[in-house]
Amino acid sequence: MRRKIKDLSQIDRIVIHTSAHTHHVIGTGSGDPQKLDPNASRETLDHSIMYVFAVALEDGAWHHIDSYLPERRNRPSTLKLWRSITTCEDSEWTERYTPATPVKKHLVGAWKFSLAMALI
């Protein structure tokens, strides 16, 4: 995904459509302001889909140590991108997350980007 977006600063908003569980536990539906706080604990940040998504999108990868370093989480471009991300509950993804057959369980969602347009 990172290679397809040439200039991440042009992202105005990202909405992650996901299951009710993801939205309410690790997404913006949790109502937990620490999930958007660069000074939050590592344990909180690894339960912030917005943070994980922002860092992985910027870096093109995720690292279990480096992605949580203070200098990484406080990068201005990351803060801007991170705070532009919201989640919403999507019944299709809730159904996929809680199927009758556990083998078919889906733990992901879909995301939509809104890009800022430059006026000429």
Side-chain angles (χ1 to χ4, degrees):
M1 178 64 64
R2 174 64 186 101
R3 285 180 234 134
K4 291 184 178 184
I5 302 172
K6 291 181 172 51
D7 183 1
L8 294 179
S9 71
Q10 292 300 304
I11 294 174
D12 184 52
R13 182 169 59 117
I14 299 172
V15 179
I16 301 173
H17 294 253
T18 190
S19 69
H21 176 81
T22 300
H23 174 61
H24 291 290
V25 176
I26 64 174
T28 53
S30 71
D32 182 356
Q34 288 191 324
K35 293 194 185 316
L36 297 168
D37 182 354
N39 298 311
S41 69
R42 181 187 191 279
E43 292 77 17
T44 297
L45 293 179
D46 77 358
H47 283 79
S48 169
I49 194 170
M50 296 76 64
Y51 178 71
V52 172
F53 193 92
V55 171
L57 183 60
E58 271 195 317
D59 295 352
W62 181 262
H63 190 272
H64 67 284
I65 296 171
D66 295 345
S67 294
Y68 294 106
L69 295 173
E71 58 272 16
R72 179 66 198 87
R73 60 172 83 173
N74 283 290
R75 188 181 298 169
S77 60
T78 301
L79 293 171
K80 180 183 179 295
L81 185 60
W82 179 9
R83 292 177 178 149
S84 75
I85 301 171
T86 60
T87 62
C88 71
E89 180 181 340
D90 185 310
S91 59
E92 177 184 344
W93 287 102
T94 297
E95 187 176 319
R96 289 179 176 196
Y97 183 78
T98 56
T101 308
V103 174
K104 295 182 179 180
K105 186 174 189 170
H106 292 259
L107 299 175
V108 296
W111 45 87
K112 296 181 181 181
F113 293 85
S114 295
L115 302 176
M117 299 298 290
L119 298 176
I120 299 175

